[in-house]
Amino acid sequence: MSGPNTDYDPVEVTPLRADEVEAQRDAALAAIAAAADLEALKQVRLEHAGDRSPLALANREIGALPPQARKEAGARVGKARGEVNKALGQRLAVLEAEHEERMLVEETVDVTLPTDRALTGARHPITMMSERIADVFVAMGWEVAEGPQVEAEWLNFDALNMGADHPARTMQDTFWLEPAEAALVLRTHTSPVQARTMLTREPPIYVVCPGRVYRTDEIDATHSPVFHQVEGLVIDEGITMAHLKGSLDHFATAMFGEGITTRFRPSYFPFTEPSAEVDLVCFVCRGVNSDECRTCRGEGWIEWGGCGVVNPRVLIACGVDPEKYTGFAFGMGIDRTLMFRHGVEDLRDVFEGDIRFAQPFGIEI
Ligand code: DAH
């Protein structure tokens, strides 16, 4: 039996020679420093610290050494591997931080960039305002009535006590349709819906009629040849001006808030007697210090529409017995109401169809 190989000189085992271990370590450190990204570092780790790397293989040789030689060789290789691993760890931290920073920059989303996504539409503010108004009256048990925009001259004028020679016809600059014998107009107000309703229904009648109307007005910030009105008509037994006032006060408050009521100023409309202009308490200054108010210009009140007790001549023309029934009527501008309620300063915005005008109204609750 042979004894232990006491002549074995570790210096003779090439991979364990000090200069060789140092060379492998230096090669590893250089490769680590040169690794430009995480992928490259992974490769370097495999080559210089993996199971088949020169230093790992050298480590394996230690087991074959005689006991007295193992300690020194182990320390040498262990130190070199420790240095390599430490360098790997440090480089990894640096490259990971760089990677993260790059991702933050590359994946930044610029929320201010314009988008080519199609804009969603919005219901037109006038449509929504018409419905809001109708809702106020439907909640009181009224019904919504409608009529055509191309209207018979007789319904637009004559039935409402405006015969052919009536001077009040000139108050409404009318679009007449051809041929003249057809006696058709673009309705100048929603009042013909009153006549249509009385002609087709039996009292009691409680209706609101929102709709589009036309006049030969030039376009400016407060005028348009097409605009919108809402008509109200009540025919029942014992109806008085007091019912009219109460209904309009409720309407005004529902539109503009608590404390905004109405006042009546004597006026003239052929279809009502007596007739009144309706003013609203100025919704900006509420009548307090109105001298400084730019909205009502010191009045404390703002003109809103017209109203009155239905003229018996209209009741007769529309087949309603004036001995049995009385009624009231009113007419307001819907565009005007929208402008007041939402601070719209130019009527043209309402009609130009720019979606940027309509959109904010769509999110109203
Ligand atoms: N039709 C009128 C206009 O367009 C407004 C109006 C006034 C309607 C008085 C009414 C009313 O029903 O009673 O100027």
Side-chain angles (χ1 to χ4, degrees), residues 24 28 36 44 47 71-72 77 94 121 174 181 210 215 249 256-257 284 286 309 314 321 323 328 335 355 359 361 365:
Q24 291 302 346
V44 170
E47 276 171 30
K71 193 172 171 202
E72 193 205 330
V77 176
V94 170
T174 310
E181 312 82 79
R215 290 190 200 171
D249 277 348
F256 300 101
V284 175
R286 296 180 166 256
V309 172
V314 174
D321 179 359
E323 298 299 325
F328 68 73
D335 320 85
I355 194 165
Q359 248 167 352
F361 291 89
I365 41 169

mmCIF file of all heavy atoms in Angstrom, residues 24 28 36 44 47 71-72 77 94 121 174 181 210 215 249 256-257 284 286 309 314 321 323 328 335 355 359 361 365:
data_model
loop_
_atom_site.group_PDB
_atom_site.id
_atom_site.type_symbol
_atom_site.label_atom_id
_atom_site.label_comp_id
_atom_site.label_asym_id
_atom_site.label_seq_id
_atom_site.Cartn_x
_atom_site.Cartn_y
_atom_site.Cartn_z
ATOM 1 N N GLN A 24 -7.091 34.714 -13.738
ATOM 2 C CA GLN A 24 -8.511 34.406 -13.956
ATOM 3 C C GLN A 24 -9.395 35.447 -13.275
ATOM 4 O O GLN A 24 -10.417 35.864 -13.809
ATOM 5 C CB GLN A 24 -8.847 33.007 -13.386
ATOM 6 C CG GLN A 24 -8.219 31.854 -14.162
ATOM 7 C CD GLN A 24 -8.643 31.839 -15.642
ATOM 8 O OE1 GLN A 24 -9.581 32.500 -16.056
ATOM 9 N NE2 GLN A 24 -7.900 31.078 -16.449
ATOM 10 N N ALA A 28 -11.923 38.013 -15.023
ATOM 11 C CA ALA A 28 -13.333 38.087 -14.626
ATOM 12 C C ALA A 28 -13.705 39.530 -14.302
ATOM 13 O O ALA A 28 -14.733 40.055 -14.765
ATOM 14 C CB ALA A 28 -13.591 37.185 -13.422
ATOM 15 N N ALA A 36 -22.046 45.712 -20.579
ATOM 16 C CA ALA A 36 -22.766 46.973 -20.808
ATOM 17 C C ALA A 36 -24.220 46.920 -20.371
ATOM 18 O O ALA A 36 -24.842 47.954 -20.131
ATOM 19 C CB ALA A 36 -22.681 47.354 -22.284
ATOM 20 N N VAL A 44 -21.367 37.018 -18.608
ATOM 21 C CA VAL A 44 -20.099 37.109 -17.870
ATOM 22 C C VAL A 44 -20.164 36.245 -16.605
ATOM 23 O O VAL A 44 -19.214 35.538 -16.260
ATOM 24 C CB VAL A 44 -19.798 38.588 -17.503
ATOM 25 C CG1 VAL A 44 -18.632 38.687 -16.526
ATOM 26 C CG2 VAL A 44 -19.505 39.389 -18.765
ATOM 27 N N GLU A 47 -19.668 32.690 -17.560
ATOM 28 C CA GLU A 47 -18.297 32.371 -17.963
ATOM 29 C C GLU A 47 -17.300 32.425 -16.808
ATOM 30 O O GLU A 47 -16.385 31.621 -16.737
ATOM 31 C CB GLU A 47 -17.827 33.363 -19.046
ATOM 32 C CG GLU A 47 -18.250 32.959 -20.433
ATOM 33 C CD GLU A 47 -17.966 34.067 -21.438
ATOM 34 O OE1 GLU A 47 -16.991 34.834 -21.221
ATOM 35 O OE2 GLU A 47 -18.744 34.184 -22.409
ATOM 36 N N LYS A 71 -5.296 24.299 2.530
ATOM 37 C CA LYS A 71 -5.668 25.556 3.180
ATOM 38 C C LYS A 71 -5.250 26.776 2.341
ATOM 39 O O LYS A 71 -6.065 27.645 2.031
ATOM 40 C CB LYS A 71 -4.996 25.627 4.554
ATOM 41 C CG LYS A 71 -5.575 26.732 5.413
ATOM 42 C CD LYS A 71 -5.036 26.665 6.809
ATOM 43 C CE LYS A 71 -5.484 27.911 7.558
ATOM 44 N NZ LYS A 71 -4.614 28.189 8.688
ATOM 45 N N GLU A 72 -3.988 26.762 1.945
ATOM 46 C CA GLU A 72 -3.468 27.917 1.205
ATOM 47 C C GLU A 72 -4.151 28.079 -0.153
ATOM 48 O O GLU A 72 -4.606 29.158 -0.518
ATOM 49 C CB GLU A 72 -1.955 27.720 1.015
ATOM 50 C CG GLU A 72 -1.276 28.985 0.536
ATOM 51 C CD GLU A 72 0.027 28.688 -0.218
ATOM 52 O OE1 GLU A 72 0.684 27.674 0.084
ATOM 53 O OE2 GLU A 72 0.345 29.483 -1.136
ATOM 54 N N VAL A 77 -8.071 30.654 -3.842
ATOM 55 C CA VAL A 77 -9.186 30.561 -4.797
ATOM 56 C C VAL A 77 -10.444 31.209 -4.202
ATOM 57 O O VAL A 77 -11.185 31.943 -4.875
ATOM 58 C CB VAL A 77 -9.449 29.090 -5.184
ATOM 59 C CG1 VAL A 77 -10.672 28.987 -6.093
ATOM 60 C CG2 VAL A 77 -8.230 28.503 -5.873
ATOM 61 N N VAL A 94 -25.671 48.392 -10.371
ATOM 62 C CA VAL A 94 -25.539 49.566 -11.242
ATOM 63 C C VAL A 94 -26.395 49.395 -12.500
ATOM 64 O O VAL A 94 -27.167 50.284 -12.893
ATOM 65 C CB VAL A 94 -24.051 49.790 -11.630
ATOM 66 C CG1 VAL A 94 -23.930 50.839 -12.728
ATOM 67 C CG2 VAL A 94 -23.256 50.206 -10.400
ATOM 68 N N GLY A 121 -69.804 62.226 -29.087
ATOM 69 C CA GLY A 121 -70.713 63.356 -29.234
ATOM 70 C C GLY A 121 -71.390 63.695 -27.923
ATOM 71 O O GLY A 121 -71.138 63.066 -26.892
ATOM 72 N N THR A 174 -91.763 87.431 -40.722
ATOM 73 C CA THR A 174 -92.129 86.057 -41.062
ATOM 74 C C THR A 174 -91.457 85.534 -42.330
ATOM 75 O O THR A 174 -91.347 86.260 -43.327
ATOM 76 C CB THR A 174 -93.662 86.001 -41.263
ATOM 77 O OG1 THR A 174 -94.268 86.627 -40.141
ATOM 78 C CG2 THR A 174 -94.150 84.574 -41.410
ATOM 79 N N GLU A 181 -100.305 80.936 -52.313
ATOM 80 C CA GLU A 181 -101.673 80.416 -52.119
ATOM 81 C C GLU A 181 -101.712 79.309 -51.077
ATOM 82 O O GLU A 181 -102.759 79.029 -50.490
ATOM 83 C CB GLU A 181 -102.261 79.844 -53.427
ATOM 84 C CG GLU A 181 -102.130 80.701 -54.659
ATOM 85 C CD GLU A 181 -100.750 80.539 -55.297
ATOM 86 O OE1 GLU A 181 -100.510 79.544 -56.011
ATOM 87 O OE2 GLU A 181 -99.905 81.432 -55.047
ATOM 88 N N PRO A 210 -92.421 72.782 -26.210
ATOM 89 C CA PRO A 210 -91.113 73.312 -26.592
ATOM 90 C C PRO A 210 -90.907 73.095 -28.093
ATOM 91 O O PRO A 210 -91.409 72.109 -28.632
ATOM 92 C CB PRO A 210 -90.132 72.446 -25.791
ATOM 93 C CG PRO A 210 -90.890 71.211 -25.403
ATOM 94 C CD PRO A 210 -92.360 71.445 -25.629
ATOM 95 N N ARG A 215 -87.686 83.463 -37.490
ATOM 96 C CA ARG A 215 -88.013 84.847 -37.877
ATOM 97 C C ARG A 215 -86.889 85.402 -38.739
ATOM 98 O O ARG A 215 -85.730 84.982 -38.585
ATOM 99 C CB ARG A 215 -88.195 85.735 -36.644
ATOM 100 C CG ARG A 215 -89.462 85.369 -35.903
ATOM 101 C CD ARG A 215 -89.820 86.356 -34.830
ATOM 102 N NE ARG A 215 -90.719 85.695 -33.890
ATOM 103 C CZ ARG A 215 -91.105 86.204 -32.734
ATOM 104 N NH1 ARG A 215 -90.654 87.386 -32.371
ATOM 105 N NH2 ARG A 215 -91.912 85.538 -31.942
ATOM 106 N N ASP A 249 -93.824 81.399 -11.334
ATOM 107 C CA ASP A 249 -92.887 81.488 -10.203
ATOM 108 C C ASP A 249 -92.240 80.127 -9.952
ATOM 109 O O ASP A 249 -91.036 80.020 -9.722
ATOM 110 C CB ASP A 249 -93.610 81.959 -8.938
ATOM 111 C CG ASP A 249 -93.748 83.479 -8.900
ATOM 112 O OD1 ASP A 249 -93.086 84.149 -9.721
ATOM 113 O OD2 ASP A 249 -94.517 83.996 -8.070
ATOM 114 N N PHE A 256 -83.885 78.483 -12.001
ATOM 115 C CA PHE A 256 -82.787 79.354 -11.554
ATOM 116 C C PHE A 256 -82.504 79.304 -10.064
ATOM 117 O O PHE A 256 -81.592 79.956 -9.591
ATOM 118 C CB PHE A 256 -83.078 80.800 -11.986
ATOM 119 C CG PHE A 256 -83.211 80.949 -13.476
ATOM 120 C CD1 PHE A 256 -84.455 81.034 -14.071
ATOM 121 C CD2 PHE A 256 -82.081 80.950 -14.289
ATOM 122 C CE1 PHE A 256 -84.580 81.150 -15.451
ATOM 123 C CE2 PHE A 256 -82.196 81.059 -15.657
ATOM 124 C CZ PHE A 256 -83.444 81.159 -16.251
ATOM 125 N N GLY A 257 -83.295 78.547 -9.332
ATOM 126 C CA GLY A 257 -83.000 78.370 -7.914
ATOM 127 C C GLY A 257 -83.910 79.165 -6.999
ATOM 128 O O GLY A 257 -84.615 80.085 -7.426
ATOM 129 N N VAL A 284 -78.207 87.160 -10.987
ATOM 130 C CA VAL A 284 -76.819 87.481 -10.616
ATOM 131 C C VAL A 284 -76.808 88.311 -9.334
ATOM 132 O O VAL A 284 -76.244 87.916 -8.325
ATOM 133 C CB VAL A 284 -76.074 88.207 -11.751
ATOM 134 C CG1 VAL A 284 -74.687 88.648 -11.299
ATOM 135 C CG2 VAL A 284 -75.975 87.314 -12.979
ATOM 136 N N ARG A 286 -79.641 89.398 -7.685
ATOM 137 C CA ARG A 286 -80.852 89.134 -6.908
ATOM 138 C C ARG A 286 -81.502 90.427 -6.423
ATOM 139 O O ARG A 286 -82.096 90.477 -5.342
ATOM 140 C CB ARG A 286 -80.542 88.224 -5.705
ATOM 141 C CG ARG A 286 -80.085 86.871 -6.157
ATOM 142 C CD ARG A 286 -79.767 85.927 -5.058
ATOM 143 N NE ARG A 286 -79.664 84.593 -5.642
ATOM 144 C CZ ARG A 286 -80.596 83.662 -5.537
ATOM 145 N NH1 ARG A 286 -81.671 83.879 -4.839
ATOM 146 N NH2 ARG A 286 -80.435 82.504 -6.124
ATOM 147 N N VAL A 309 -103.895 86.026 -19.896
ATOM 148 C CA VAL A 309 -105.114 85.218 -19.826
ATOM 149 C C VAL A 309 -105.612 85.049 -21.262
ATOM 150 O O VAL A 309 -105.707 86.037 -22.011
ATOM 151 C CB VAL A 309 -106.174 85.926 -18.950
ATOM 152 C CG1 VAL A 309 -107.515 85.198 -19.031
ATOM 153 C CG2 VAL A 309 -105.676 85.997 -17.509
ATOM 154 N N VAL A 314 -109.791 83.906 -28.993
ATOM 155 C CA VAL A 314 -108.976 82.734 -29.340
ATOM 156 C C VAL A 314 -109.723 81.460 -28.943
ATOM 157 O O VAL A 314 -109.776 80.488 -29.700
ATOM 158 C CB VAL A 314 -107.583 82.795 -28.656
ATOM 159 C CG1 VAL A 314 -106.793 81.517 -28.880
ATOM 160 C CG2 VAL A 314 -106.810 84.012 -29.146
ATOM 161 N N ASP A 321 -115.631 76.835 -25.258
ATOM 162 C CA ASP A 321 -116.720 77.685 -24.756
ATOM 163 C C ASP A 321 -116.183 78.679 -23.721
ATOM 164 O O ASP A 321 -115.818 78.291 -22.607
ATOM 165 C CB ASP A 321 -117.789 76.782 -24.117
ATOM 166 C CG ASP A 321 -118.953 77.598 -23.555
ATOM 167 O OD1 ASP A 321 -118.915 78.853 -23.653
ATOM 168 O OD2 ASP A 321 -119.876 76.972 -23.014
ATOM 169 N N GLU A 323 -117.738 80.795 -22.005
ATOM 170 C CA GLU A 323 -118.613 80.955 -20.844
ATOM 171 C C GLU A 323 -118.242 79.953 -19.762
ATOM 172 O O GLU A 323 -118.396 80.200 -18.574
ATOM 173 C CB GLU A 323 -120.084 80.737 -21.252
ATOM 174 C CG GLU A 323 -120.604 81.730 -22.280
ATOM 175 C CD GLU A 323 -120.554 83.169 -21.747
ATOM 176 O OE1 GLU A 323 -120.785 83.364 -20.533
ATOM 177 O OE2 GLU A 323 -120.241 84.087 -22.531
ATOM 178 N N PHE A 328 -104.878 80.336 -19.223
ATOM 179 C CA PHE A 328 -103.708 81.224 -19.349
ATOM 180 C C PHE A 328 -102.704 80.607 -20.302
ATOM 181 O O PHE A 328 -102.757 79.407 -20.593
ATOM 182 C CB PHE A 328 -103.082 81.537 -17.986
ATOM 183 C CG PHE A 328 -102.405 80.387 -17.267
ATOM 184 C CD1 PHE A 328 -101.174 79.880 -17.706
ATOM 185 C CD2 PHE A 328 -102.981 79.824 -16.128
ATOM 186 C CE1 PHE A 328 -100.543 78.853 -17.027
ATOM 187 C CE2 PHE A 328 -102.353 78.784 -15.452
ATOM 188 C CZ PHE A 328 -101.126 78.295 -15.900
ATOM 189 N N ASP A 335 -83.579 79.375 -25.712
ATOM 190 C CA ASP A 335 -82.171 79.776 -25.884
ATOM 191 C C ASP A 335 -81.795 80.811 -24.818
ATOM 192 O O ASP A 335 -80.730 80.747 -24.216
ATOM 193 C CB ASP A 335 -81.964 80.389 -27.276
ATOM 194 C CG ASP A 335 -82.740 79.629 -28.327
ATOM 195 O OD1 ASP A 335 -83.945 79.953 -28.501
ATOM 196 O OD2 ASP A 335 -82.181 78.711 -28.913
ATOM 197 N N ILE A 355 -68.639 71.096 -31.219
ATOM 198 C CA ILE A 355 -68.830 70.096 -30.163
ATOM 199 C C ILE A 355 -68.217 70.545 -28.832
ATOM 200 O O ILE A 355 -68.660 70.155 -27.758
ATOM 201 C CB ILE A 355 -68.253 68.741 -30.614
ATOM 202 C CG1 ILE A 355 -68.747 67.638 -29.704
ATOM 203 C CG2 ILE A 355 -66.743 68.773 -30.695
ATOM 204 C CD1 ILE A 355 -68.540 66.272 -30.247
ATOM 205 N N GLN A 359 -70.154 69.800 -25.356
ATOM 206 C CA GLN A 359 -69.659 68.729 -24.502
ATOM 207 C C GLN A 359 -69.783 68.942 -23.000
ATOM 208 O O GLN A 359 -70.239 68.035 -22.298
ATOM 209 C CB GLN A 359 -68.216 68.395 -24.856
ATOM 210 C CG GLN A 359 -68.159 67.021 -25.470
ATOM 211 C CD GLN A 359 -66.834 66.758 -26.132
ATOM 212 O OE1 GLN A 359 -66.000 67.650 -26.259
ATOM 213 N NE2 GLN A 359 -66.633 65.551 -26.552
ATOM 214 N N PHE A 361 -71.956 70.319 -21.326
ATOM 215 C CA PHE A 361 -73.333 70.157 -20.857
ATOM 216 C C PHE A 361 -73.663 68.682 -20.678
ATOM 217 O O PHE A 361 -74.504 68.328 -19.875
ATOM 218 C CB PHE A 361 -74.316 70.771 -21.861
ATOM 219 C CG PHE A 361 -74.233 72.266 -21.917
ATOM 220 C CD1 PHE A 361 -73.366 72.894 -22.785
ATOM 221 C CD2 PHE A 361 -75.027 73.050 -21.098
ATOM 222 C CE1 PHE A 361 -73.281 74.276 -22.846
ATOM 223 C CE2 PHE A 361 -74.957 74.433 -21.140
ATOM 224 C CZ PHE A 361 -74.077 75.046 -22.022
ATOM 225 N N ILE A 365 -75.348 66.764 -14.250
ATOM 226 C CA ILE A 365 -76.254 65.773 -13.673
ATOM 227 C C ILE A 365 -77.581 66.417 -13.332
ATOM 228 O O ILE A 365 -77.667 67.582 -13.108
ATOM 229 C CB ILE A 365 -75.664 65.110 -12.413
ATOM 230 C CG1 ILE A 365 -74.953 66.129 -11.531
ATOM 231 C CG2 ILE A 365 -74.717 64.006 -12.797
ATOM 232 C CD1 ILE A 365 -74.579 65.618 -10.171
#
